[in-house]
Amino acid sequence: TILKAQISLSGLAGMGFIIVAGVNLLIARAMSRRFGRHVYSEVVDLAALERFSSVLRGVIWVSILLVGYVIGQWATLHWSEFLLARNSLPWGQTDPLLGIDLGFYVFQLPFCWFLYYLAFITLVGCAVSATFYYLLEGGVWVTPRGPAMAPAVRAHLLVLGALLFVLLAYRARLAMYGLLYSSRGVVYGAAYTDVHASLPVIWVLLVLCLVTAAAFLLAAAPGDLKPAVGGILALAIVGLLGGRAYPEVIQRFIVTPNEIDKEQPYIERAIKFTRQAYALDRF
């Protein structure tokens, strides 16, 4: 059973990456042929570029195959998460914070994190390989005034960027589930600071990720890049201040001086669920 799970997971993850990245590279190839290479004598030596273009093109394709192989080997390490998710069952009881069935945390959440990392690596690989291909074959040019790109190429890369921020929004959702594993409070699990500080910030980050993704799509229309850049800056500010500073301020100045009162409901939850876990509530 373990061997079958490892083979299945390795094949799906590795081949999935190779197929997605390969199709993305074929799109970049078709785009670059439409626009061709622009050479500026001040920057690029045409003879050198022509001499090494076929070699560099092969390096890009071989790199995708190698990365796909590495991903397949990495995926085999997650066979237990794969089997747990495939054979998951509901527990019939929900957590008190998000209202999610407890079986999800045990059986499905670890595999959801694996899928997130797989999708993230795939998207980054698509963006990097496409950019290098455009630089090599045409569509993205380095000029004396700075980088330039064709409108269709710009749209392609911006769509990849939008998908990346949608994926980051999914990560924010997974981070909400992770609050139930927090060790910040006096008990293990979501405590006052997690519920009243971290959770609202994560919701803001999730919404900002979706807004930024929409801004990237609008810029691909084509449109102005300023809203997309503003979304990235807003995410950075909220992530730095809201993700770290704000919860620390709440914990130090609101929770710690009055810890018993603030943490009492969460201590009661921890006791209740611990008793249930060890079947002590049946006696």
Side-chain angles (χ1 to χ4, degrees):
T1 300
I2 294 174
L3 187 59
K4 287 181 180 179
Q6 289 177 329
I7 293 173
S8 300
L9 198 56
S10 176
L12 291 173
M15 291 304 299
F17 173 85
I18 292 173
I19 291 173
V20 173
V23 170
N24 177 73
L25 206 56
L26 290 175
I27 294 173
R29 180 185 178 186
M31 292 286 189
S32 62
R33 286 183 173 179
R34 289 175 53 189
F35 303 103
R37 187 188 300 116
H38 289 191
V39 179
Y40 296 84
S41 59
E42 300 92 339
V43 180
V44 180
D45 182 9
L46 179 59
L49 187 61
E50 290 291 350
R51 188 182 307 119
F52 293 106
S53 62
S54 59
V55 175
L56 294 175
R57 192 185 308 117
V59 168
I60 294 174
W61 284 103
V62 170
S63 298
I64 288 178
L65 295 176
L66 290 176
V67 173
Y69 172 77
V70 172
I71 288 175
Q73 296 302 304
W74 165 70
T76 60
L77 303 176
H78 299 271
W79 61 267
S80 58
E81 292 98 316
F82 173 66
L83 287 177
L84 284 172
R86 193 174 68 176
N87 298 282
S88 63
L89 291 172
W91 281 20
Q93 185 175 3
T94 60
D95 75 85
L97 179 61
L98 300 173
I100 305 296
D101 188 272
L102 298 182
F104 169 80
Y105 295 95
V106 176
F107 297 119
Q108 298 177 27
L109 183 58
F111 191 65
C112 288
W113 276 109
F114 164 77
L115 292 177
Y116 161 75
Y117 287 118
L118 176 60
F120 183 82
I121 294 171
T122 302
L123 271 177
V124 171
C126 288
V128 172
S129 60
T131 301
F132 275 109
Y133 203 92
Y134 284 131
L135 284 169
L136 179 65
E137 296 294 330
V140 174
W141 313 292
V142 178
T143 72
R145 297 182 179 179
M149 64 182 67
V153 173
R154 181 176 182 267
H156 180 199
L157 296 178
L158 286 174
V159 167
L160 291 177
L163 291 175
L164 181 61
F165 280 98
V166 170
L167 189 60
L168 291 176
Y170 175 67
R171 187 194 187 286
R173 183 59 179 171
L174 293 180
M176 294 182 191
Y177 304 136
L179 291 178
L180 273 73
Y181 300 88
S182 173
S183 57
R184 178 186 282 125
V186 294
V187 293
Y188 188 79
Y192 183 92
T193 302
D194 302 302
V195 175
H196 293 87
S198 296
L199 184 59
V201 169
I202 294 174
W203 272 115
V204 173
L205 289 172
L206 189 152
V207 173
L208 281 176
C209 285
L210 294 178
V211 171
T212 305
F216 267 75
L217 290 177
L218 291 175
D224 192 0
L225 270 175
K226 291 180 180 179
V229 175
I232 295 174
L233 293 176
L235 278 169
I237 294 172
V238 173
L240 290 174
L241 298 180
R244 295 182 178 273
Y246 178 58
E248 184 64 26
V249 169
I250 297 296
Q251 180 70 28
R252 181 172 299 182
F253 296 102
I254 295 181
V255 177
T256 301
N258 195 18
E259 200 163 36
I260 294 179
D261 179 61
K262 296 296 183 182
E263 301 285 23
Q264 182 178 355
Y266 310 103
I267 295 173
E268 292 175 353
R269 288 179 180 177
I271 294 173
K272 174 185 175 182
F273 278 85
T274 302
R275 289 176 56 83
Q276 291 179 358
Y278 288 96
L280 298 176
D281 58 327
R282 303 177 189 175
F283 298 98

